[in-house]
Amino acid sequence: KEQLYNEIKTILARQPGPEVAEQLSVYQSSLRAKTRQLKAMASELNLYQAQVNEYKYEVERITRELQDVKRKYYEQKRRDQLAKEIQDEDNALGKLQAAQQLAAAQASKTRYTGGGFAIR
């Protein structure tokens, strides 16, 4: 019996005491709290990643829209410049024709000098 008693005593001596059980309980509650915190942070990270993707899409859309507006602006500016050049050419051509007509009219007109003789 005494040998059995000593064996049980050594086995019980190796068993953890109440302090270890209390410490294990603290660790388990701490682990549960950290797990909850980790899950909350993971869901928050997913939310922020979704927002980042939305913002990237918005930036791409606005960039495309800006390029389109720039293209339209420069096309319109080029059309206006071409129209102005054509109008300037027409004005210059009109002035040239008017000057030619005036010169022709003056050249064909009979001029008289002091003696009444016609000079052509």
Side-chain angles (χ1 to χ4, degrees):
K1 277 187 168 184
E2 200 170 312
Q3 186 180 6
L4 183 62
Y5 174 73
N6 285 335
E7 285 179 24
I8 292 176
K9 187 177 175 183
T10 57
I11 291 173
L12 285 177
R14 284 187 261 154
Q15 291 292 322
E19 305 88 25
V20 174
E22 185 180 324
Q23 191 67 27
L24 178 63
S25 173
V26 170
Y27 287 153
Q28 284 176 340
S29 64
S30 174
L31 179 63
R32 279 192 292 272
K34 293 292 182 186
T35 304
R36 280 193 301 270
Q37 185 180 7
L38 180 65
K39 286 181 182 179
M41 289 174 73
S43 65
E44 199 174 337
L45 177 64
N46 288 337
L47 174 73
Y48 289 137
Q49 285 176 339
Q51 282 182 340
V52 164
N53 289 335
E54 287 178 24
Y55 292 148
K56 283 181 182 178
Y57 174 75
E58 187 72 15
V59 165
E60 289 174 3
R61 184 187 64 79
I62 290 173
T63 302
R64 284 191 307 269
E65 190 175 319
L66 175 64
Q67 293 300 322
D68 190 42
V69 168
K70 280 183 179 180
R71 182 183 50 79
K72 288 179 181 178
Y73 170 75
Y74 286 116
E75 284 176 359
Q76 183 64 38
K77 189 173 179 179
R78 177 146 172 79
R79 281 195 297 267
D80 291 346
Q81 186 174 0
L82 288 175
K84 184 179 182 296
E85 287 174 3
I86 290 171
Q87 185 179 6
D88 289 346
E89 288 174 4
D90 288 346
N91 287 344
L93 185 61
K95 286 180 182 179
L96 179 63
Q97 286 176 350
Q100 287 174 349
Q101 288 174 355
L102 181 63
Q106 287 178 350
S108 68
K109 185 164 88 173
T110 305
R111 292 179 295 168
Y112 296 97
T113 58
F117 298 102
I119 299 176
R120 284 209 167 192

